[in-house]
């Protein structure tokens, strides 16, 4: 019998989105052969206690999988520490895993796509992950490409799969190393090819002296080492968390206007060996080169970006005092 990669779903306090995520997974034929881990972090503020309790009561009722393993934290650990704890636990039993946050819903063939991708690319170490989401959802795609995949150097956390050896090979990223790379013209050019927003996003991390974790570590590692994510032209996931209810995201009209029912229109897929002519960073580039991103780059060019971040932080503190 085939071994399917265990699934990790991480949640904080959003019961409705978690239910939608789990219900969409249950529609996948492979769910019954897949182990599901659900990581529930503890509250970092008292106003969330009741909602988190409701989430945990729901987790106890989840079925439709080979096994459901709750990971319940009694103290607030934050996303990064919860993630690390969970994958360390999973990697004791498995060499692969699938990751979803609670605000991701999936297509009925999502688990098949991800598991087949893990098998197809398991010996190609240029591939660091298989992504369920594609920014191509916002653009017209030629019919002949809809069953195809492409390769991109931009990390996407909205439903991904990877291998133990590749995840454990991603080193910690120090602020000192990041600062050095951001002064390297070659590195910045490669970074800009997948979106001009990343350079200033990294600069903000330097300004705030924040730890570089998860998405930041992964995309830095990919760009620096010429690694790629396998992505379907027809997306297998969608993020419903851009409705302004999440703790880390603001409302985004582009996402709220997407017809999530289109995920149920299953489009067959086929994988292909890595070739440079199948590298496509255009969707990521177009989606992330916003007016705000362009303004930040201009501010950086004239030496005012760090001052802009200072004003932004002062404004946030002022709002909290009101």
């Amino acid at each position: 019998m085939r071994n399917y990669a265990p699934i990790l779903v991480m949640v904080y306090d959003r019961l409705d989105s978690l239910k939608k995520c789990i219900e969409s997974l249950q529609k996948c034929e492979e769910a019954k052969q897949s182990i599901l881990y659900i990581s529930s972090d503890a509250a970092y503020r008292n106003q969330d206690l009741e909602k988190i309790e409701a989430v945990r009561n729901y987790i106890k009722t989840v079925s439709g999988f080979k096994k459901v393993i709750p990971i319940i934290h009694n103290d607030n650990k934050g996303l990064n520490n919860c993630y690390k704890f969970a994958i360390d636990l999973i990697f004791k039993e498995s060499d692969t895993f699938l990751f979803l946050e609670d605000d991701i819903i999936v297509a009925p063939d999502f688990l098949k796509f991800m598991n087949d991708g893990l098998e197809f690319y398991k010996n190609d170490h240029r591939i660091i992950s298989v992504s369920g989401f594609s920014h191509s959802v916002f653009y017209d795609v030629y019919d002949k490409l809809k069953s195809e995949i492409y390769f991109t150097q931009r990390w996407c956390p909205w439903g991904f799969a990877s291998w133990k050896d590749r995840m454990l090979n991603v080193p910690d990223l120090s602020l000192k190393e990041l600062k050095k790379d951001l002064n390297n013209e070659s590195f910045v050019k490669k970074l800009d090819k997948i979106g001009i927003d990343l350079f200033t996003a990294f600069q903000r991390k330097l300004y705030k002296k924040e730890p570089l974790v998860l998405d930041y570590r992964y995309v830095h590692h990919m760009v620096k080492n010429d690694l790629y994510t396998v992505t379907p032209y027809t997306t297998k996931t969608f993020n419903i968390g851009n409705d302004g209810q999440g703790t880390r995201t603001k409302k985004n009209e582009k996402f709220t206007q997407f017809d999530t029912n289109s995920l149920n229109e299953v489009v067959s897929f086929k994988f292909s060996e890595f070739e440079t002519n199948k590298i496509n960073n255009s969707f990521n580039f177009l989606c992330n080169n916003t007016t705000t991103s362009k303004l930040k780059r201009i501010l950086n060019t004239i030496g005012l970006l760090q001052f802009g971040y200072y004003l932004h932080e002062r404004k946030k503190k002022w709002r909290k005092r009101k």
Side-chain angles (χ1 to χ4, degrees):
M1 182 181 291
R2 180 177 181 179
N3 290 322
Y4 289 94
I7 307 161
L8 170 61
V9 175
M10 300 190 64
V11 62
Y12 181 61
D13 67 346
R14 292 182 293 183
L15 177 58
D16 288 344
S17 62
L18 176 63
K19 284 183 176 180
K20 291 175 182 177
C21 174
I22 298 300
E23 288 167 1
S24 67
L25 280 170
Q26 289 169 332
K27 294 177 183 177
C28 297
E29 185 178 334
E30 297 76 15
K32 293 181 175 63
Q33 285 80 46
S34 304
I35 296 175
L36 173 66
Y37 292 79
I38 306 180
S39 173
S40 170
D41 199 6
Y44 70 90
R45 54 188 185 182
N46 289 334
Q47 66 200 66
D48 298 334
L49 288 169
E50 189 174 332
K51 289 187 285 187
I52 290 174
E53 185 64 23
V55 164
R56 294 180 173 183
N57 287 334
Y58 168 70
I59 291 173
K60 295 174 184 176
T61 71
V62 174
S63 61
F65 299 85
K66 183 178 180 180
K67 190 176 183 181
V68 179
I69 301 177
I71 304 174
I72 306 299
H73 295 290
N74 295 321
D75 300 307
N76 181 263
K77 294 183 177 297
L79 178 60
N80 183 56
N81 288 328
C82 283
Y83 173 79
K84 186 178 185 308
F85 182 92
I87 62 168
D88 285 347
L89 183 65
I90 291 171
F91 285 158
K92 289 178 181 178
E93 306 291 337
S94 177
D95 291 329
T96 59
F97 81 117
L98 309 182
F99 173 85
L100 294 164
E101 287 193 43
D102 64 293
D103 54 5
I104 306 298
I105 57 173
V106 307
D109 63 343
F110 166 75
L111 291 181
K112 177 172 173 53
F113 178 83
M114 304 303 268
N115 280 281
D116 286 0
L118 287 171
E119 180 64 23
F120 191 93
Y121 298 101
K122 66 181 180 181
N123 296 319
D124 190 341
H125 286 259
R126 292 168 295 187
I127 308 303
I128 191 173
S129 70
V130 181
S131 176
F133 180 74
S134 174
H135 282 89
S136 60
V137 295
F138 303 117
Y139 303 95
D140 291 328
V141 174
Y142 292 121
D143 287 342
K144 66 180 182 180
L145 292 177
K146 289 182 178 179
S147 295
E148 303 286 338
I149 55 88
Y150 62 94
F151 303 93
T152 177
Q153 283 186 286
R154 181 125 183 178
W155 181 265
C156 185
W158 295 348
F160 73 85
S162 191
W163 302 263
K164 177 180 178 179
D165 58 350
R166 271 155 261 197
M167 286 292 94
L168 296 183
N169 196 40
V170 180
D172 290 334
L173 176 59
S174 68
L175 292 173
K176 181 179 179 180
E177 181 183 2
L178 177 62
K179 185 175 182 179
K180 179 181 177 182
D181 288 334
L182 293 181
N183 287 320
N184 182 309
E185 185 178 349
S186 176
F187 178 83
V188 174
K189 282 184 177 179
K190 290 167 68 176
L191 201 64
D192 283 347
K193 285 182 179 179
I194 54 177
I196 62 171
D197 60 309
L198 286 171
F199 178 84
T200 51
F202 277 127
Q203 289 283 12
R204 187 178 183 191
K205 288 292 183 180
L206 289 178
Y207 171 77
K208 297 183 73 174
K209 295 182 172 61
E210 289 183 342
L212 295 159
V213 296
L214 298 179
D215 303 354
Y216 288 94
R217 278 178 59 216
Y218 292 147
V219 73
H220 175 275
H221 182 65
M222 289 175 70
V223 171
K224 195 161 186 178
N225 296 282
D226 295 318
L227 302 176
Y228 298 87
T229 284
V230 180
T231 311
Y233 273 99
T234 299
T235 193
K236 304 298 179 184
T237 73
F238 196 77
N239 188 324
I240 58 172
N242 286 280
D243 56 3
Q245 296 183 37
T247 57
R248 297 182 298 130
T249 54
K250 296 179 181 179
K251 187 172 182 178
N252 187 320
E253 295 293 341
K254 180 167 62 177
F255 283 82
T256 56
Q257 292 175 6
F258 177 76
D259 181 10
T260 55
N261 289 321
S262 64
L263 276 181
N264 295 319
E265 300 170 7
V266 175
V267 176
S268 61
F269 58 85
K270 55 184 177 181
F271 293 106
S272 55
E273 300 291 342
F274 177 82
E275 295 177 12
T276 55
N277 65 352
K278 291 184 179 178
I279 298 172
N280 185 350
N281 289 311
S282 62
F283 298 124
N284 290 321
F285 183 87
L286 290 169
C287 277
N288 292 289
N289 286 17
T290 63
T291 301
T292 300
S293 296
K294 292 174 183 176
L295 176 60
K296 288 179 181 178
R297 291 305 290 267
I298 293 172
L299 289 174
N300 180 73
T301 301
I302 61 178
L304 292 177
L305 181 65
Q306 299 293 346
F307 181 66
Y309 285 144
Y310 167 78
L311 291 178
H312 180 71
E313 292 302 316
R314 295 290 296 180
K315 184 178 179 181
K316 282 169 61 178
K317 290 181 181 178
W318 178 75
R319 283 179 174 174
K320 286 181 179 179
R321 289 174 183 169
K322 288 183 69 177

